Amino acid sequence: IINDKKDIIARIYQRRECIDMKTNTIITIGRQYGSGGREIGKKLAEELEIPFYDKELLSRAAKDSGICEELFENHDEKPTNSFLYSLVMDTYSFGYTSSSFTDMPINQKIFLAQFNAIKAIANEGPCVIVGRCADYALEEYSNCISVYIHSSMKNRIRRIAQKYDLTDAKAKDRITKTDKKRASYYNYYSNKKWGDASSYHMCLDSGRFGIDGCIAMIKNAIAQRESRE
């Protein structure tokens, strides 16, 4: 057993040479605000030479659905009430006609359009998708690995305070509010719990392993999955 995290990361980096950069895996990334999840996802996509979707997903959903992109931005990862959620899921589960879609409240349209965009993107090939219940939308895809990135509040406060030139108090307030919004959205629209280890294939502490260390471990997991195909 290796207890030294530096030794662990070093060994993972050694295995990176064995990883084929041409992957067929889809990676979804859930993240605590300020944990560096987006940076990890973007750098991972660049190294694997596959598409990356964060805000880009909103543009794709708007284009595919014909709904104004500004509406997607206004509703991005924001929770809704449980009654509306049940209506959405009933509609999605049993199918909908063009007329029924037209009559839907805007929250339902946004959710369905985004959900469908995630599946359409995944069907096009390997990619990295950040947030927006992508892991839930793709849970039946055998070539999908879901990752959750987290870190201590101290590390996240430091990151957000530096990035946006905020006091620690304001940074903590922004972190708390954003995490609450993301958790509420995820918990309403999926059958899982945001941040719970059982909801993901991998949970990584970016404060302990660093951005590059997390990327290395995800790439190692990809290699392990693809070697079993």
Side-chain angles (χ1 to χ4, degrees):
I1 299 175
I2 301 174
N3 294 318
D4 191 327
K5 67 179 182 181
K6 292 183 179 179
D7 288 343
I8 295 175
I9 294 175
R11 292 195 176 197
I12 291 173
Y13 271 111
Q14 290 174 4
R15 297 197 62 179
R16 292 175 70 178
E17 299 299 324
C18 299
I19 298 176
D20 187 353
M21 296 300 286
K22 299 298 182 182
T23 180
N24 66 357
T25 300
I26 299 165
I27 304 95
T28 66
I29 296 183
R31 72 287 185 221
Q32 287 184 324
Y33 187 62
S35 65
R38 185 184 189 283
E39 181 180 352
I40 289 169
K42 188 169 181 58
K43 290 185 68 174
L44 175 65
E46 290 172 352
E47 291 189 18
L48 295 176
E49 300 179 351
I50 59 177
F52 170 78
Y53 294 91
D54 182 13
K55 294 292 185 181
E56 296 84 354
L57 175 61
L58 306 184
S59 299
R60 173 62 180 269
K63 179 181 179 181
D64 289 354
S65 66
I67 300 174
C68 176
E69 186 173 343
E70 184 177 357
L71 291 175
F72 283 91
E73 294 174 352
N74 290 338
H75 290 82
D76 190 25
E77 291 190 292
K78 291 182 180 178
T80 184
N81 60 66
S82 57
F83 176 67
L84 177 58
Y85 161 71
S86 65
L87 289 178
V88 171
M89 293 313 294
D90 285 345
T91 302
Y92 187 79
S93 297
F94 297 109
Y96 55 91
T97 63
S98 296
S99 59
S100 65
F101 183 80
T102 302
D103 295 336
M104 285 181 190
I106 190 60
N107 282 0
Q108 292 186 39
K109 292 180 181 180
I110 294 298
F111 172 76
L112 287 174
Q114 193 165 272
F115 199 83
N116 289 335
I118 290 170
K119 286 182 171 289
I121 288 169
N123 289 336
E124 292 171 358
C127 58
V128 175
I129 305 176
V130 174
R132 299 164 187 87
C133 296
D135 61 303
Y136 175 59
L138 304 178
E139 64 179 353
E140 295 182 0
Y141 284 58
S142 61
N143 65 328
C144 181
I145 292 179
S146 60
V147 182
Y148 182 75
I149 305 296
H150 62 97
S151 187
S152 68
M153 178 61 77
K154 180 180 179 181
N155 288 336
R156 292 189 290 144
I157 287 175
R158 184 185 307 116
R159 184 183 184 88
I160 294 302
Q162 291 177 351
K163 184 175 182 178
Y164 296 104
D165 192 23
L166 299 174
T167 64
D168 286 357
K170 289 185 176 180
K172 183 177 182 179
D173 182 62
R174 179 181 289 197
I175 289 169
T176 301
K177 289 179 178 178
T178 303
D179 278 355
K180 183 177 181 180
K181 180 188 71 172
R182 289 177 179 175
S184 296
Y185 179 88
Y186 186 91
N187 295 343
Y188 276 132
Y189 283 115
S190 79
N191 58 359
K192 302 184 288 185
K193 184 176 180 181
W194 188 78
D196 189 294
S198 63
S199 297
Y200 311 90
H201 298 129
M202 299 179 68
C203 293
L204 301 175
D205 186 340
S206 60
R208 181 169 295 273
F209 299 112
I211 299 298
D212 290 337
C214 287
I215 291 172
M217 284 184 275
I218 296 171
K219 292 180 73 172
N220 182 59
I222 292 171
Q224 291 292 331
R225 190 202 72 77
E226 294 182 354
S227 69
R228 303 177 75 174
E229 289 184 337

